[in-house]
Amino acid sequence: MQPHPQNWTQVTEFVMVGFAEVYEERFLFFTLFLIMYLFTLAENTAIILVVGLNHRLQRPMYFFLTHLSCLEICYTTVTVPKMLAGFVDVNGGKTISYAGCLSQLFIFTFLGATECFLLAAMAYDRYVAICMPLRYGSLVSWGTCIRLAVACWLVGFLTPILPIYLMTQLTFCGPNVVDHFFCDDSPLLALSCSDVTLKETTDFMVSLAVLLASSTVIAVSYGNIVWTLLHIRSAAERQKAFSTCAAHLTVVGIFYGTLFFMYVRTKVASSINFNKVVSVFYSIVTPMLNPLIYSLRNKEVKGALGQALSLKSWKRK
């Protein structure tokens, strides 16, 4: 917290520092992040289209996968275009209004929380499919899938309401330079002239609640899956069952690993530059890797993608 100056005015906009450390190589990083962003859009869109057009993939697991791909597109679009504008600094690319900053933070938090709950729903789907296959049709019906998806998006939307409300109660009287490439909690709180103790505590508790609730569902689901797999005598059947959740487990490990480190950590461990690197990983790299993981580790998705590409090539000929 910074002390109030005698003559102060409320900050109406923020200036994003971004990656000032790489100013000389800014066009190289601009090109790199632009390619990653476009690649993320293309591959997640491909997943959505392939699942939507292939009747063999009209199953609950892929229903949730399309929601995840849609979320990844939104997740990167919230931060990356503004970050790219900051690299070239066109049309005030480095500045963002106070309202715009809080809106970006709200949407980013909303999407991050929704992804946690979606991954938990996908883990539950795998648990029922492997541990209770005879009851799968009744326990994971299309009605159940739709209700779970709506619940994930709704609870995700509700998650940032209290933290953002508390943020609006803080005073920002200058400076207005945010040492990050998007409006994240930590760099904004560092600029506040108010007491941020309540805000920091609330952020920690909300983040911990989301992570623990969703990760508990995932841990219990996979604990039961592992127990079931250990009781399958056939190695081939065991491998086949595990292969259906290998991609999801990989995505969960990457996503939750970075989130636990980023948002449930002590202040002693904080480092602005290192936090930027971790933020790049979970806000840009992970959304780009997820479709690759699902397409490479899942034979059905890989086969559907290959079939779609082969048909497109055949039609061109």
Side-chain angles (χ1 to χ4, degrees):
M1 182 184 73
Q2 300 175 359
H4 283 275
Q6 290 185 349
N7 298 316
W8 62 274
T9 56
Q10 176 72 18
V11 167
T12 58
E13 68 177 18
F14 294 100
V15 178
M16 313 298 291
V17 171
F19 296 92
E21 306 85 358
V22 295
Y23 181 79
E24 296 297 327
E25 298 85 17
R26 64 188 183 281
F27 292 112
L28 173 63
F29 278 86
F30 171 85
T31 304
L32 174 63
F33 287 129
L34 177 61
I35 292 173
M36 292 173 68
Y37 176 59
L38 294 177
F39 189 58
T40 299
L41 295 183
E43 58 185 354
N44 278 289
T45 301
I47 291 286
I48 294 171
L49 292 176
V50 166
V51 172
L53 297 176
N54 192 312
H55 69 278
R56 294 180 181 177
L57 301 182
Q58 301 297 313
R59 302 208 301 274
M61 179 170 67
Y62 301 111
F63 169 79
F64 289 118
L65 180 58
T66 57
H67 278 265
L68 185 63
S69 292
C70 179
L71 189 146
E72 302 287 22
I73 291 173
C74 299
Y75 202 49
T76 54
T77 302
V78 170
T79 58
V80 176
K82 188 64 179 177
M83 179 187 68
L84 293 175
F87 274 117
V88 293
D89 197 21
V90 293
N91 298 323
K94 288 183 177 293
T95 62
I96 185 170
S97 67
Y98 174 80
C101 188
L102 293 191
S103 297
Q104 185 186 55
L105 178 58
F106 181 94
I107 296 172
F108 188 80
T109 307
F110 153 47
L111 294 173
T114 302
E115 181 158 0
C116 288
F117 297 123
L118 269 177
L119 291 173
M122 294 172 79
Y124 170 74
D125 169 72
R126 291 298 84 207
Y127 156 68
V128 177
I130 294 174
C131 300
M132 294 181 284
L134 298 180
R135 300 178 61 193
Y136 183 75
S138 59
L139 291 177
V140 191
S141 63
W142 281 112
T144 301
C145 290
I146 293 171
R147 286 191 291 271
L148 280 173
V150 170
C152 290
W153 286 95
L154 179 60
V155 177
F157 180 81
L158 295 176
T159 297
I161 289 180
L162 179 58
I164 295 298
Y165 169 75
L166 293 177
M167 184 72 82
T168 63
Q169 303 307 299
L170 300 179
T171 301
F172 295 91
C173 50
N176 67 336
V177 179
V178 179
D179 195 2
H180 213 308
F181 63 89
F182 71 96
C183 291
D184 201 8
D185 268 310
S186 297
L188 285 177
L189 292 180
L191 299 178
S192 177
C193 305
S194 309
D195 185 358
V196 298
T197 304
L198 176 60
K199 177 68 170 70
E200 287 184 325
T201 303
T202 303
D203 286 345
F204 177 81
M205 296 304 294
V206 170
S207 299
L208 192 62
V210 170
L211 291 173
L212 285 182
S214 55
S215 61
T216 297
V217 173
I218 293 172
V220 171
S221 297
Y222 275 104
N224 281 283
I225 288 173
V226 170
W227 179 257
T228 300
L229 292 180
L230 291 176
H231 288 77
I232 297 177
R233 294 184 178 182
S234 170
E237 288 296 322
R238 193 184 306 121
Q239 177 63 30
K240 181 181 178 181
F242 181 75
S243 66
T244 63
C245 53
H248 176 260
L249 195 56
T250 304
V251 169
V252 166
I254 295 173
F255 184 75
Y256 277 84
T258 53
L259 281 190
F260 266 113
F261 174 81
M262 191 67 187
Y263 288 110
V264 188
R265 68 195 191 284
T266 61
K267 290 184 179 179
V268 178
S270 282
S271 167
I272 294 290
N273 291 331
F274 193 59
N275 285 350
K276 288 182 189 178
V277 174
V278 177
S279 297
V280 165
F281 195 81
Y282 72 74
S283 63
I284 302 174
V285 177
T286 300
M288 182 186 70
L289 290 178
N290 286 352
L292 290 176
I293 294 170
Y294 272 103
S295 60
L296 292 176
R297 299 298 298 272
N298 188 296
K299 292 181 180 180
E300 290 180 312
V301 174
K302 185 163 57 175
L305 284 170
Q307 186 179 8
L309 292 174
S310 299
L311 182 61
K312 187 175 180 181
S313 300
W314 180 79
K315 283 184 176 181
R316 283 180 179 178
K317 292 179 180 180

